Every structure is written in structure tokens, then in C-alpha cells.
Amino acid sequence: MMDRLAARIEQGRGAAPADLVLKGGQVFDLVTGRISRSDVAICGDTIVGTLDTYSGVKEIDVTGKVIVPGFIDTHCHVESSLISPAEFDRCLLPRGITTAICDPHEIANVLGLAGIAYFLDAAGATAMDLRVNLSSCVPATDLETSGARIAAEDLIGLADHPKVIGLAEFMNFPGVLGRDPGCLAKLAAFAGRHIDGHAPLLRGRALNGYLAAGIRTDHEATTAEEAMEKLAKGMTVLIREGSVSKDLHALHSLVTEALSPYIAFCTDDRNPLDIAEEGHIDHMIRESIRLGATPLAAYRTASHSGARAFGLRDRGLVAPGYRADLVVLDDLNTCAVSRVISAGRLVGDDLFATRRMVQPIGRHSVKAQRVEERDFAARGAGPSTRVIGVVPGKIITLDLPMTLPYRDGERRIDLDQDAVKVAVVARHGHNRNISVAFVHGFGMTRGAIASSVGHDSHNICVVGAREADMAVAVNRLIEIEGGFAVACDGEVRAELALPMAGLMSLGTFEDVHADLLPLRAAAKALGVALDEPFLQVAFLPLPVIPHLKITDRGLVDVDRFELVRD
Amino acid sequence: MMDRLAARIEQGRGAAPADLVLKGGQVFDLVTGRISRSDVAICGDTIVGTLDTYSGVKEIDVTGKVIVPGFIDTHCHVESSLISPAEFDRCLLPRGITTAICDPHEIANVLGLAGIAYFLDAAGATAMDLRVNLSSCVPATDLETSGARIAAEDLIGLADHPKVIGLAEFMNFPGVLGRDPGCLAKLAAFAGRHIDGHAPLLRGRALNGYLAAGIRTDHEATTAEEAMEKLAKGMTVLIREGSVSKDLHALHSLVTEALSPYIAFCTDDRNPLDIAEEGHIDHMIRESIRLGATPLAAYRTASHSGARAFGLRDRGLVAPGYRADLVVLDDLNTCAVSRVISAGRLVGDDLFATRRMVQPIGRHSVKAQRVEERDFAARGAGPSTRVIGVVPGKIITLDLPMTLPYRDGERRIDLDQDAVKVAVVARHGHNRNISVAFVHGFGMTRGAIASSVGHDSHNICVVGAREADMAVAVNRLIEIEGGFAVACDGEVRAELALPMAGLMSLGTFEDVHADLLPLRAAAKALGVALDEPFLQVAFLPLPVIPHLKITDRGLVDVDRFELVRD
């Protein structure tokens, strides 16, 4: 360390050539807002000189370009990109995302601490700085059967790992407000450390109670008014633009120079199609500016403010002593990335080729038994029932009272009312639960869609207009160790295998992208009108998001936080 | 901890009365800038509810008043207030300074680690939250004889103490730039932790080299242009308003809403006269607003931004989950303090009476031998010499070439040129060094002023128009275990005893204030024209501030960082 410090000082003061110099560009300072002609001198992984001229052992001409600090995704689930951490790295780092703070909540729900350990190991091998918040709510609730349970004592043992920031989104807000002992034990264990929040629609004194527990951030605000209350109560608001939950349009009015020190960007759950077609944090910058934000507000939100909110004091500015995470832009307003530098290294295939390989884990995790058409019968006391109403592009659902066809003690699919079946099949080998209910809003007229991604316990969720196709789709997922499948007329029409814990592919992000396109087409061929049918299926079992959800134990009234007795 | 969390949540959500409620006031939110009608509910030491109505076990009516977060002094030396930490607490907390980050650099230079240990102990007993940055440069340089030496290995053992933030102002910037092994060892030991800066006039590539070592703040900027360069290089600029160094007028243009997230206030060295007559951080707020800052910019700089810069994530806003450090104001623009709450406790005599007593240390630390008139002879090779030029209200000095009366191999005092003698008498018992030189700018025509406060090694510094009076003043300091003394015509005219390490009084701040007034009058009676003669004497030996200084080893050319061979 002393040798490295000595080299940094020597190169910074110009007494020796820097290891690397970006010459002739302009630096965008996100504190003062000034854009200044400046070389950028780098020693090892650290910026050592700005606002001056430097010569270097290696020099790169960036004349005409603007240099900004690397972007930070302050909250994401890598698993939602359906690819391994190594592929996530290779997909996002070239877009300028030099730091991502992930919560391995999905794999932890399937594999427990082994899933978190896998991410900590993988984070040590990525070229980007992948940081980990420790999944706080595994299982998210007691209203479902997860693959694993993680207690406070399991988590605190990992708190000082160099890749760990703190406790990840505390989504069991009813548990916090109800002073559940397991929740309190986790909050107490991490008192004084970072604790991420998750408080959709929570306002007023309920929000105060949640914050009194020491929770500091929120990525669930969906209106500017809600976000302003959260800011005024000391939360850092993380504006989210995922694949299902897209909040940037509702919240872009916050991306001002005045508020930008107190907000950040995140993606939460973003799939390879959206990343390929729109981008990631780079897309959020671009879109914010298009919607009227100044570049200062947008780039500051995307980097320095996120770093400050999460205690990453070494990054977020192009300044001496800061980590050399840099994005060289052809154009500031469109966030047109020319080159990326990660910890002083040029990002490209050569850098990715040097990474240590991390072996996949979680094979053969889909432990459900084969199902049949009759497993999806919806027995009930009468024709009236509560139906989950999907909202396009939202993970919040509606709780719709409907009257369905009713014969032989069973409620039936009614395509005229757009009421098809939804079922959750337990797949962790703990039990053989299968719950069946109805969903409105897919527009599905035939076939079925199944997914082993089923937040947050990741049982199999299947939506179908025909029970036989539901069985075909689920059985195919069991064969391919999880993933997505579309079935129609007794045949599998498209599929994507996700054999790592039933959540992640063993292939490249290009492979996954290529497989998702025919899957999307196959879903549309069933009549489905939603833009993101697989993600909407995957979030139907998530019992921490209002209002009506389904787990392997049955329908859940999230507002009352209890199973529906029907 | 779980019980406390449960109580916070319950009171925050309004399910039980809060321990304490401030009712009927308005809360100033320093993120959004909004001032809103709001009760403030407090449970123990923590705010649990805002922007709502609450009832409490104890309620205080604050109708018509504005509630802001407690103020933070981000860098100070308690010793410069001449009082003990307990008296510092009693003096400042009622003004709203609920957090002070001190550097026990003065006592550490006299007593070494025992001085730091005393402050850590004392910090555990104050009602305010006194935090400690570990003195990084003891001695500040090798150009002087200090009472102690502290190495990297001594400091790192204290790094995880709950009151410790990091490494205090790294004032040996020439040592950093010269890659001095002792400096590098300290910087390396604290890599990744907070390292406070001190970089007067450092600019350009020299500043870059200093920052490349991982240093993050600076309180030495004296012009707005210098401060803007430091901000653009990622430093948090701490605007200082001490008793000698007063930078607020030069830097108030930074106190804007745009820059306020990235700056903070500090006092560095502030004496009881200024505190009594003007105030402290409260004065900086008042003065900033008077000079044109908005209340949002001023109060944010005084609290939340300082908290963020130093990693104090639990304070700086009036919001649920934050520490209940609150200032209730009669008037926002004049920072008229009505009441202060520290960690949920009402500040007043009752609170101060509950504090644990901490025994004074550092008695009998002035170990110099008695001096005589002839010890202050200024032998030299000829009449031309370099004279220290004091600048009123600044600790920077000028390096003035002068020609003095010269007889019998000695340079002589020349009142016509305002050139009087300055001497430093070593007092730590390591040697019997006495150095003698000349100083311009005091306007002194008779007598002498002596001080055992002599930054940073705290040898005795004496300035005199007559050598016999210099001896009288120094000998008196030896008798009273250090302090300040004014002598004239062979008699002591006024004095203040500072028996704790020769730096701090055993009395109250009211006692010290009362003693300083006749001292100031006695100094003026010598013809001295400076507003703060004792502080200007005390900073003459500080060899890390440009340009010409004096230590017990002789004149120091600070720009060249070497002793003057004359």
C-alpha cells in the first residue's frame, strides 16, 4: 500500500509519467457543474490528476470527448437479467455501469446462504465493481414456501465482507410495523450499517414507523408526491426503471440540480431485451435529459449521489484520489458511450478474458413432481371469487371481484371476461403444494406460459387458458431445470432454460436475448397483449406488493397480509 | 437494541405515545427546502415521527418556532477554546452545536497518546456528541521539538474506537508530496477511512499529488477561487471562521443552494471571547444569511452536509430514524436559538449536571528552566535579516527582508520599524533550546506577551519590545504551569493560567472569558494594535503555514520547508 501511495503521489504531482493519461478531453465536474478542458492522469486503479496537463506511459487521445464518472446501479437483482454475474458484467460494463449494488435475493430464496456466497465469490471476479447487499427477507413472508430461510445470525457473519454494503431492501414492511421478532433481530444486527428500504405506497405515520427502524433508502416510490414525502423524511429516493416497474416518467421531475444530491438511479429487475434495446443506467440518463433534466442533474444522480448514499466514498467524481471508473462520451446529451475505464483498465474483450471463472451453482433445483391437467382444477364454494388484475407495466395488481362459470364444484376459465387460470407449483422439494386461482388482464385466449422465476420464492408460476397446456409448460420446465416455456395445443412452442437455480442461464447474454425474442412472439400468439408477459407472470406470486397475489399456499391479500380463505 | 427498535417503531407509527413531542412548530427540511407545520416525535435519542401530529408522554409547545437539525462543527481543536471538553460542551451545546469533530492535536503534541486517550474518555462524558479525528502529525514537522511523537502504529490501534472518525488534518503536506515514509505509513494505515486535509494555498498538480493520497477535506482555502478548485477536485470544503483565521467573508459566495451539499462549516481555533461576543457555528449561519445566503444553504451547510462529509449518517435532518439533535429557533434568519435538544434530551443545567466527571491531566507540563534577559540576545552575522511579518487576522505570515540596528554581534529591536523580538523557549524537558528572531506588525512599543500555547509543539512563544520583560513573562508562565502572561516594566500586568498541558484552564468558560478581557487590555497597553494578540503570538511557531515562522530550533522557511541558516 505504501508503494502504491507513493506512486500515486509522484504521478499526481507530475514528477513521473502517469500509468495512463486520457489526453485532450473535457471533464464534467458533478460538484460545481463545470465542464473543463483537462487531461486525466491515472495511476493503477486511481485517478491522480485532473484540471492540468499530464504525460503518461500510455496515452489515449480523447479530443472532443467528455469524461464523466462511471455509472452506479444502486439496486438490482442480477438474477432478473437471467444471466450469470460474469455475463451481467460483460453486458453492462461497456455501457458505463462501473458499479452495481446487487441483492442476491432471488438465488438466496432458492439456495439460501449458498446463493449469497456464490454472489460474493462472483463479485470478486467481475471487472465491474459488483457490491452486495445482504438479502434481508428470505423468505419474504411466511405466506409462501421458499427454498431456504436466512436468519439475522446468518447475515451478520457476512457484514464485514469487503463486497458487502449492508442489509438489502427490507421488503417485509408489515413485519417491521408489526415488530416481528425475526425482522427486529435483523434490523438490530445491522443497526448503524446501511439498511435498504422497500416501502411501496407507505406514507404518513406508517412510513415514520418504518423509518424509525433505521431504514434509509427507497426504490418503490411511484409518484412524485410520494417521493417528495420520502425525501423530506430523510430517505434517498432511488428512481427505478426496470423491465416491469418503470418509474422514471413518473419521477423525472425530481431529477433537478437541487434534488440530485439526494436521489440515485436503479434498475431493480431489468431483462436482456430492454438492456439490448434501450440500455440500462445509460438509458435513464438519456431519458432524463430528453424529459428535461440538465446533464448535471442526470449524471450526478447516476454516479456521485448514488455513491454517497451507499457510503462508496471512493467514487462518483472525476477527481484525484477517486477510483478510476470513467466513461468517455461522444455526446453528453445522448449519453453516447465511446469508451469505458474500470478501475484504471480499458474495458473490452481483453479485460473480460482475464477474469477468473466462477463455476455455476444451483443445478437441478426444480424439484417439483410432474403435473397433470387435473392438478389445475379450481375448486371453490361458488361462482364468485377474487381475481388478480394485472396492470400492464406494473407489479402492483388489482383485487377484482368476479363471478365465473361454476360447474361440479369448480370455477372455470372465462375468456369472455379475460379470466384465465394462474397456478403456483411448489418446486423446492419441501412439499407438493399447488394453488390455483384466476387472473385478469393477460388477454390470453389459448395455451399457457410457465416460469420458474416466480418472485420471491421462485416456485413455478403458470398462467393458462387451457389446463392441459399449463401441465405441458410446467412439465417442460421440470425437464430443463427451470426457465420460461410457452405451450399451446399440447406442444412446447418456445422455451429458455435457466438451469442455475431455475433463475439464470448458463449461456451468454446474446444467447438469452436471442431466445427471448421467439418466446415473446410465442406468447403474443396466445393472444397475450402485455409487453412483458414473462415478467408479469414472474411477479404474480410476490406477496409484498399490493394488492392481490398468489403463492403456493393460495391467494394473498397483501393489504391485510394474509391468505384469502375462499 | 431490539426493545429500543420496537419502541421506536411503535411510537413512530403512532401506536403508543412518544417519549417526547415538540408540538405545533414548523420543521425546516434541508433536502427539499420546505418549511412545514409538523409535530416532531422522539423516542429515546431518536426522532421517530415528522410531518404528522403526535401525542407524547412529555409534550413541549413550540408554536411559532422553527425546528432545524443540530449544528456540526466539522473541525475544531477544543484546546483553542482554552477550556476543558466538559466546559466546551457546556459553552457550545446551548448554542445548538450538537456535534463537534475535534482533533486533539494540541494536547497530543504535549502529552502524546495520553492526550488523545483523555479526549476519547472526555468525549464519552459530554452531552454533545464530541467526535475525535486522530492527530496525524505529531510533531507536525521535524523542524521543532515537540513533547511527543505519535506513529502510524499508535494511531491505527484507536481507529475503531466508537468516537473516532478517522485521521485528522494531514498538515504535513510537504511530507506527503515528498513521500516521507512516516507520512505514507499513516496514510496507508487509514486508507479507505476518512482522512482530513489541510492544504493552504496548495493548487494545481501539487494539490493533485496531495489528493492522490486519499485526502478528502480542506479547511484552509482562503479565496473562493482556491475553494472552487478544491471542490472540483472532489474535496469537501470546510469554511472556517476561527478567532485568527476568519474565512467566511472570503468564501461566503460558496454558501449557495447549489454548492451547499458539498461544503460544511468549522471553527478550527475559536476562543471564548469570540464565542461569547459573536457565537460559534450559530454565528456562521447568521453571518452567511446576512451576507446573502438563503436559510436553506446556510442551515444545510451547518448540519446535513457536514454529517455526510464525515460519514455521520445518523444526523443532519429532522426526519424519522435520525438522531434527535434539534435546535428550536425563535427566528430563522438570525439563528435565534430558543431551545436545544441533544440526543432527545433537553439541554440545560440539569443535563450538564448528570455528566460523568473526567479528571484533568497534563499538570506540571511546562518544564522549561527559568530564563534571563540575556537569553533573548539575537546574535547574527550582520544587520540584514528575515523578519516575520504578521498579517492581522491571518495565520499566514510574510517573509520580510529588513535591516536592523546591529551592535556587538547582535541585531537589536527597532521600534521605528515596528520590529520587536520573538523567541521560542522549548518547554517539554527534552532540551533547553531558545531561538530568537524578529517580528513586524504587532505595533508593540513596550513590555512582552508570552504564551505556552504555541502551535503546534506548544513550546513557549514570547514577543517583546524589551528583553527583560520577555524573561518576566516567560518565568511567570513557568510558575503558573502555562497560560498567557503580559509583562511590562518588570512586572506581570495580566495572566491566565492554563495548567492542563499548558493549554487548558481548570476553570469555567465564564472564568476564562473574564480573565481574557484584562489580558487583552494589558496587551493593548503595550501598544499592540492586533485584535487577537495572544492567538497571533500562538501561531508564530506553526511551521506548516506559509511563509516564515519560528520554532525552538530557529526561523523556518515554510515554502522551502527548512530552517533558515542566517
Side-chain angles (χ1 to χ4, degrees):
Chain A
M1 188 66 207
M2 280 179 64
D3 288 348
R4 269 184 291 162
L5 272 178
R8 285 180 202 161
I9 294 165
E10 189 174 25
Q11 294 182 22
R13 63 183 292 217
D19 294 345
L20 172 64
V21 176
L22 305 184
K23 282 200 76 77
Q26 294 190 297
V27 163
F28 191 11
D29 172 44
L30 301 182
V31 168
T32 65
R34 290 181 183 168
I35 298 181
S36 311
R37 166 76 188 78
S38 166
D39 290 347
V40 177
I42 296 165
C43 173
D45 59 5
T46 301
I47 301 166
V48 295
T50 59
L51 300 178
D52 222 304
T53 55
Y54 281 91
S55 59
V57 174
K58 182 178 170 74
E59 296 186 351
I60 298 176
D61 181 15
V62 293
T63 304
K65 302 190 192 299
V66 181
I67 303 165
V68 295
F71 312 140
I72 300 175
D73 187 348
T74 58
H75 172 68
C76 64
H77 305 286
V78 172
E79 302 95 311
S80 293
S81 64
L82 311 176
I83 49 182
S84 67
E87 281 298 296
F88 181 82
D89 183 35
R90 198 174 64 82
C91 178
L92 293 187
L93 186 53
R95 293 184 171 276
I97 294 89
T98 51
T99 301
I101 302 172
C102 76
D103 167 12
H105 178 74
E106 318 311 338
I107 199 168
N109 265 283
V110 178
L111 303 176
L113 277 180
I116 295 179
Y118 165 76
F119 263 85
L120 290 173
D121 184 27
T126 51
M128 68 162 42
D129 190 16
L130 186 64
R131 295 295 183 110
V132 177
N133 269 322
L134 298 171
S135 310
S136 64
C137 301
V138 178
T141 72
D142 289 325
L143 304 171
E144 59 200 308
T145 306
S146 68
R149 304 188 76 84
I150 298 181
E153 54 268 30
D154 300 323
L155 294 173
I156 196 68
L158 297 173
D160 290 324
H161 187 287
K163 286 288 184 180
V164 167
I165 289 181
L167 204 54
E169 53 174 335
F170 217 100
M171 60 181 68
N172 188 358
F173 59 85
V176 174
L177 294 176
R179 289 163 286 141
D180 169 78
C183 289
L184 290 183
K186 288 172 186 164
L187 293 166
F190 283 78
R193 299 181 190 255
H194 181 88
I195 306 179
D196 242 21
H198 162 114
L201 305 183
L202 213 60
R203 307 288 296 269
R205 291 200 292 209
L207 178 60
N208 292 352
Y210 183 74
L211 296 179
I215 293 162
R216 286 304 161 80
T217 62
D218 183 67
H219 58 268
E220 293 288 346
T222 48
T223 67
E225 191 202 354
E226 180 185 351
M228 286 299 281
E229 179 181 341
K230 288 174 171 174
L231 283 169
K233 288 180 173 173
M235 304 188 94
T236 302
V237 168
L238 316 179
I239 299 175
R240 168 180 59 187
E241 189 76 354
S243 283
V244 172
S245 299
K246 295 176 189 287
D247 302 318
L248 182 58
H249 282 242
L251 301 183
H252 77 89
S253 64
L254 303 181
V255 189
T256 61
E257 293 186 8
L259 289 178
S260 57
Y262 308 105
I263 61 174
F265 286 144
C266 72
T267 61
D268 205 354
D269 300 287
R270 196 158 173 92
N271 71 26
L273 288 176
D274 282 346
I275 297 169
E277 290 164 15
E278 293 183 331
H280 196 259
I281 300 294
D282 55 320
H283 163 67
M284 296 189 74
I285 295 168
R286 206 157 30 238
E287 192 68 2
S288 296
I289 294 172
R290 197 183 66 75
L291 292 168
T294 64
L296 175 58
Y299 283 95
R300 183 191 272 167
T301 303
S303 56
H304 188 229
S305 301
R308 300 227 298 182
F310 287 84
L312 298 171
R313 298 154 49 89
D314 64 343
R315 68 196 69 188
L317 294 175
V318 184
Y322 282 68
R323 187 177 153 98
D325 285 347
L326 300 168
V327 183
V328 180
L329 297 171
D330 288 324
D331 183 72
L332 194 65
N333 287 326
T334 60
C335 192
V337 176
S338 165
R339 251 180 212 284
V340 178
I341 290 167
S342 170
R345 302 159 304 174
L346 292 174
V347 171
D349 289 343
D350 289 353
L351 175 61
F352 292 122
T354 63
R355 298 174 302 169
R356 170 170 64 82
M357 292 286 290
V358 176
Q359 288 304 310
I361 61 163
R363 297 296 303 269
H364 311 292
S365 73
V366 180
K367 297 171 185 161
Q369 309 239 339
R370 287 182 66 82
V371 293
E372 298 172 16
E373 178 177 349
R374 60 185 298 280
D375 289 321
F376 299 104
R379 274 170 268 283
S384 295
T385 188
R386 291 161 73 174
V387 172
I388 300 171
V390 298
V391 183
K394 302 279 177 204
I395 62 178
I396 284 178
T397 60
L398 308 177
D399 181 351
L400 304 175
M402 289 179 78
T403 303
L404 298 175
Y406 186 73
R407 289 194 309 277
D408 306 330
E410 289 180 30
R411 298 180 187 122
R412 309 286 173 158
I413 288 166
D414 185 357
L415 297 182
D416 291 342
Q417 290 193 78
D418 187 15
V420 298
K421 279 188 175 167
V422 54
V424 173
V425 179
R427 64 105 161 170
H428 297 297
H430 302 312
N431 60 40
R432 298 178 65 174
N433 287 353
I434 300 178
S435 66
V436 183
F438 292 85
V439 62
H440 168 86
F442 272 78
M444 188 185 287
T445 57
R446 49 207 296 244
I449 294 175
S451 169
S452 63
V453 180
H455 294 276
D456 281 339
S457 288
H458 302 297
N459 291 303
I460 295 171
C461 185
V462 56
V463 170
R466 193 167 153 258
E467 290 83 353
D469 289 329
M470 293 170 80
V472 168
V474 169
N475 287 334
R476 181 61 185 157
L477 287 194
I478 295 169
E479 289 165 8
I480 63 175
E481 300 182 44
F484 299 138
V486 175
C488 192
D489 299 335
E491 287 180 1
V492 174
R493 294 294 168 91
E495 68 184 31
L496 168 65
L498 300 173
M500 237 203 294
L503 299 171
M504 290 182 279
S505 169
L506 301 175
T508 64
F509 70 84
E510 293 92 344
D511 293 339
V512 172
H513 181 222
D515 282 348
L516 284 172
L517 294 171
L519 266 169
R520 189 186 272 189
K524 290 221 184 302
L526 305 183
V528 172
L530 299 167
D531 282 342
E532 292 287 352
F534 299 96
L535 284 170
Q536 303 245 221
V537 170
F539 280 97
L540 290 177
L542 182 59
V544 293
I545 298 289
H547 296 280
L548 190 65
K549 296 280 184 170
I550 182 169
T551 73
D552 65 302
R553 297 180 58 198
L555 276 178
V556 175
D557 180 332
V558 180
D559 302 321
R560 301 171 63 97
F561 215 62
E562 62 184 26
L563 289 163
V564 174
R565 297 293 154 205
D566 186 22
Chain B
M1 187 67 206
M2 279 178 66
D3 288 348
R4 269 185 290 161
L5 272 178
R8 285 179 202 161
I9 293 165
E10 190 174 25
Q11 294 182 21
R13 63 184 290 217
D19 294 345
L20 173 64
V21 176
L22 306 184
K23 282 200 76 76
Q26 293 190 297
V27 163
F28 191 11
D29 171 44
L30 301 181
V31 168
T32 65
R34 291 181 183 168
I35 298 181
S36 310
R37 167 76 189 76
S38 166
D39 290 348
V40 176
I42 296 166
C43 173
D45 60 4
T46 301
I47 302 165
V48 295
T50 59
L51 300 178
D52 222 304
T53 55
Y54 281 91
S55 59
V57 174
K58 181 178 170 74
E59 295 185 352
I60 298 176
D61 181 14
V62 294
T63 303
K65 302 191 192 296
V66 181
I67 303 165
V68 295
F71 313 141
I72 302 176
D73 187 348
T74 58
H75 172 69
C76 65
H77 305 284
V78 171
E79 304 94 312
S80 294
S81 64
L82 310 175
I83 50 182
S84 66
E87 281 298 296
F88 181 84
D89 182 34
R90 198 174 63 84
C91 179
L92 294 186
L93 186 53
R95 294 185 169 274
I97 295 90
T98 51
T99 301
I101 302 172
C102 76
D103 168 12
H105 178 73
E106 318 312 338
I107 199 167
N109 265 283
V110 178
L111 303 176
L113 277 180
I116 296 179
Y118 167 75
F119 263 84
L120 290 174
D121 184 26
T126 51
M128 68 162 43
D129 190 16
L130 186 64
R131 295 296 183 110
V132 177
N133 269 322
L134 298 171
S135 310
S136 64
C137 300
V138 178
T141 72
D142 288 326
L143 303 171
E144 59 200 309
T145 305
S146 68
R149 304 188 75 83
I150 298 181
E153 54 270 28
D154 300 323
L155 295 172
I156 195 67
L158 298 172
D160 290 323
H161 188 287
K163 285 288 184 181
V164 168
I165 289 180
L167 204 54
E169 52 174 336
F170 216 100
M171 60 182 68
N172 187 358
F173 60 84
V176 174
L177 293 176
R179 288 163 289 139
D180 169 78
C183 290
L184 291 183
K186 288 172 187 163
L187 293 166
F190 283 77
R193 298 181 191 255
H194 182 86
I195 305 179
D196 242 21
H198 163 113
L201 305 183
L202 212 59
R203 307 288 296 268
R205 291 200 291 209
L207 178 60
N208 292 352
Y210 183 73
L211 295 179
I215 293 163
R216 286 305 163 78
T217 61
D218 183 67
H219 57 269
E220 293 289 346
T222 47
T223 65
E225 190 202 355
E226 180 185 352
M228 285 300 281
E229 180 181 340
K230 287 173 171 173
L231 282 170
K233 288 180 173 174
M235 303 188 94
T236 302
V237 168
L238 316 179
I239 299 176
R240 169 181 57 188
E241 190 75 354
S243 283
V244 173
S245 298
K246 296 178 190 284
D247 302 318
L248 183 58
H249 282 241
L251 302 183
H252 77 89
S253 64
L254 302 181
V255 188
T256 60
E257 294 186 9
L259 289 178
S260 57
Y262 308 106
I263 62 175
F265 287 144
C266 73
T267 61
D268 205 352
D269 300 286
R270 197 159 172 92
N271 71 26
L273 288 177
D274 282 346
I275 297 169
E277 291 164 15
E278 294 183 330
H280 195 257
I281 300 294
D282 55 321
H283 164 68
M284 296 188 73
I285 294 168
R286 206 158 30 240
E287 191 68 2
S288 296
I289 294 172
R290 198 184 64 77
L291 292 167
T294 65
L296 175 58
Y299 283 95
R300 183 192 272 167
T301 302
S303 57
H304 188 229
S305 300
R308 300 226 300 180
F310 287 84
L312 298 171
R313 297 153 49 89
D314 63 345
R315 68 196 69 187
L317 293 175
V318 184
Y322 283 68
R323 187 177 153 98
D325 286 346
L326 300 168
V327 183
V328 180
L329 298 171
D330 288 324
D331 182 72
L332 194 63
N333 287 327
T334 60
C335 193
V337 175
S338 165
R339 254 181 209 281
V340 178
I341 291 168
S342 170
R345 301 160 305 174
L346 292 174
V347 170
D349 290 343
D350 289 352
L351 175 61
F352 293 122
T354 64
R355 298 173 304 169
R356 169 170 63 82
M357 292 286 290
V358 176
Q359 288 305 311
I361 62 164
R363 296 296 302 269
H364 311 291
S365 73
V366 179
K367 298 172 185 160
Q369 310 241 340
R370 287 183 65 83
V371 292
E372 299 173 15
E373 176 176 354
R374 56 186 300 278
D375 289 321
F376 299 105
R379 275 171 267 284
S384 296
T385 188
R386 292 160 73 173
V387 171
I388 301 172
V390 297
V391 183
K394 302 278 177 205
I395 62 177
I396 284 179
T397 60
L398 307 177
D399 181 351
L400 304 174
M402 290 180 75
T403 302
L404 298 174
Y406 184 74
R407 289 195 309 278
D408 306 331
E410 289 180 30
R411 298 180 188 124
R412 308 284 174 160
I413 288 167
D414 185 356
L415 298 182
D416 291 342
Q417 290 191 80
D418 187 15
V420 298
K421 280 188 175 168
V422 55
V424 174
V425 180
R427 63 105 161 169
H428 298 297
H430 301 312
N431 61 41
R432 298 178 65 174
N433 287 352
I434 300 178
S435 65
V436 183
F438 292 84
V439 62
H440 169 88
F442 272 78
M444 187 184 287
T445 56
R446 49 205 298 242
I449 294 175
S451 169
S452 64
V453 180
H455 294 278
D456 281 336
S457 288
H458 302 297
N459 291 303
I460 296 171
C461 184
V462 56
V463 170
R466 192 165 154 260
E467 291 83 353
D469 289 329
M470 293 171 78
V472 169
V474 169
N475 288 334
R476 182 60 185 157
L477 288 194
I478 296 168
E479 290 166 9
I480 63 174
E481 302 184 41
F484 300 136
V486 175
C488 193
D489 299 334
E491 287 179 1
V492 175
R493 295 294 168 91
E495 67 185 31
L496 169 65
L498 300 174
M500 237 202 294
L503 299 171
M504 290 182 280
S505 169
L506 302 174
T508 65
F509 71 84
E510 293 92 343
D511 294 337
V512 173
H513 181 221
D515 283 349
L516 284 173
L517 294 171
L519 267 169
R520 191 186 271 188
K524 289 222 184 304
L526 305 183
V528 173
L530 299 167
D531 283 342
E532 291 289 352
F534 299 96
L535 283 169
Q536 302 246 221
V537 171
F539 281 97
L540 290 177
L542 182 58
V544 294
I545 297 289
H547 296 278
L548 189 66
K549 296 281 184 170
I550 182 170
T551 74
D552 65 301
R553 297 181 57 199
L555 277 178
V556 175
D557 180 332
V558 180
D559 302 322
R560 301 170 64 96
F561 215 61
E562 62 186 26
L563 290 164
V564 174
R565 297 293 156 207
D566 186 20

